[in-house]
Amino acid sequence: MSSLADSPGILWIVATPIGNLSDFSVRGRAVLTQVDVIAAEDTRHSRRLTEHLGVTTPLISLHEHNEEARSRMLIDRLQAGESLALISDAGTPLISDPGFVLVRAVRAAGIEVRTVPGPCAAVAALSIAGLPTDRFVFEGFLPAKATARRQRLKELADEPRTLVYYESSHRIAATAADLASVLGTDRAIVVARELTKMHEQSVQLTTGALVDWLAADANHRRGEFVLVVAGAPVIEKTVRDISLDALLAELVPVTGTKQAAAIAARLTGVARNRAYAQALTLSDTG
Ligand code: SAM
């Protein structure tokens, strides 16, 4: 067992570019240079980045299949005083990427976790979409199977906040078809592909038009995608949505049963005698 150091090391969560290597931060490079080890989703992929940056720190793999076991080993190293950085293939670790198991375990062990923030495809797409960003729902990848995918979309069909999805070139056409069939063909949607790369493209369409746009040109279906979908229109609650009982409970103490019944009948559309009978019940029980 490793001997415990006076103070444990720090786990750094370091964001990397989502396409354009120039987006890597100066601080990110300094942290990757100084830590004892870098945990990476795919070490071969990340070695290209570290070589580009001139960073020689050793890399160790941490992916969904070994995260549990690796986390225990890495916590031992942190407790022995080593410091560690976690990076993923692209963007911010843990955002549709490995790292949650590690960060949770590191926190549970009382070890400090720090961030070097940077690119994230979801935030980048939101920032250029021109759809409301004051509140949004990040849904990551939709399920691969059509039935589960449609079910997931149905669950948020009435969600008023902007929705953000990740998608790959393999499934973009199927997902677009499902979005149109579940949410209707008129919902505003921004398709953002290849952000920060040579073929970066983002267009605002409707869910119906997206299906045609993808079918029209094979290039439109290439690369990595973020879909930013306008939330469902908010339907103003009308007084007809208020229950008769709730309305009468407010009115009876102020106006008496007769007038309360008349107002409630007018506002809710129920028969006046029914409203009156109900008002009497309420005033009896009150
Ligand atoms: N951790 C990453 C982040 O912070 O955005 C996301 C990793 S997830 C495994 C990969 C998905 O992110 C892609 O399938 C795509 O949906 C989205 N993505 C990543 N880079 C992108 C880019 N340059 N343009 C558009 N979408 C991108």
Side-chain angles (χ1 to χ4, degrees), residues 40-51 59-61 89:
E41 196 180 352
D42 175 345
T43 50
R44 276 208 348 225
H45 175 94
S46 291
R47 194 156 288 119
R48 286 199 287 276
L49 174 72
T50 52
E51 276 171 8
L59 288 156
I60 186 172
S61 77
D89 285 354

Side-chain angles (χ1 to χ4, degrees), residues 4-85:
L4 292 185
D6 285 346
S7 60
I10 292 170
L11 169 62
W12 295 88
I13 305 300
V14 180
T16 60
I18 55 169
N20 191 324
L21 290 185
S22 306
D23 290 337
F24 197 75
S25 74
V26 173
R27 196 161 77 96
R29 184 172 179 278
V31 167
L32 293 193
T33 305
Q34 283 157 23
V35 291
D36 295 291
V37 61
I38 301 168
E41 196 180 352
D42 175 345
T43 50
R44 276 208 348 225
H45 175 94
S46 291
R47 194 156 288 119
R48 286 199 287 276
L49 174 72
T50 52
E51 276 171 8
H52 168 83
L53 297 168
V55 170
T56 54
T57 310
L59 288 156
I60 186 172
S61 77
L62 182 129
H63 45 71
E64 57 175 330
H65 304 296
N66 71 359
E67 193 171 355
E68 202 84 50
R70 270 285 144 84
S71 296
R72 284 192 291 275
M73 185 269 271
L74 291 169
I75 286 172
D76 282 348
R77 291 183 70 163
L78 286 161
Q79 277 170 334
E82 289 192 351
S83 57
L84 165 69

Side-chain angles (χ1 to χ4, degrees), residues 18 90-92 95-97 120-121 141 166-167 194-195 224-226:
I18 55 169
T92 301
I95 306 302
S96 293
D97 267 337
C120 174
F141 289 99
Y166 279 167
E167 198 47 276
E194 297 293 86
L195 294 172
E224 300 188 281
F225 294 82
V226 183

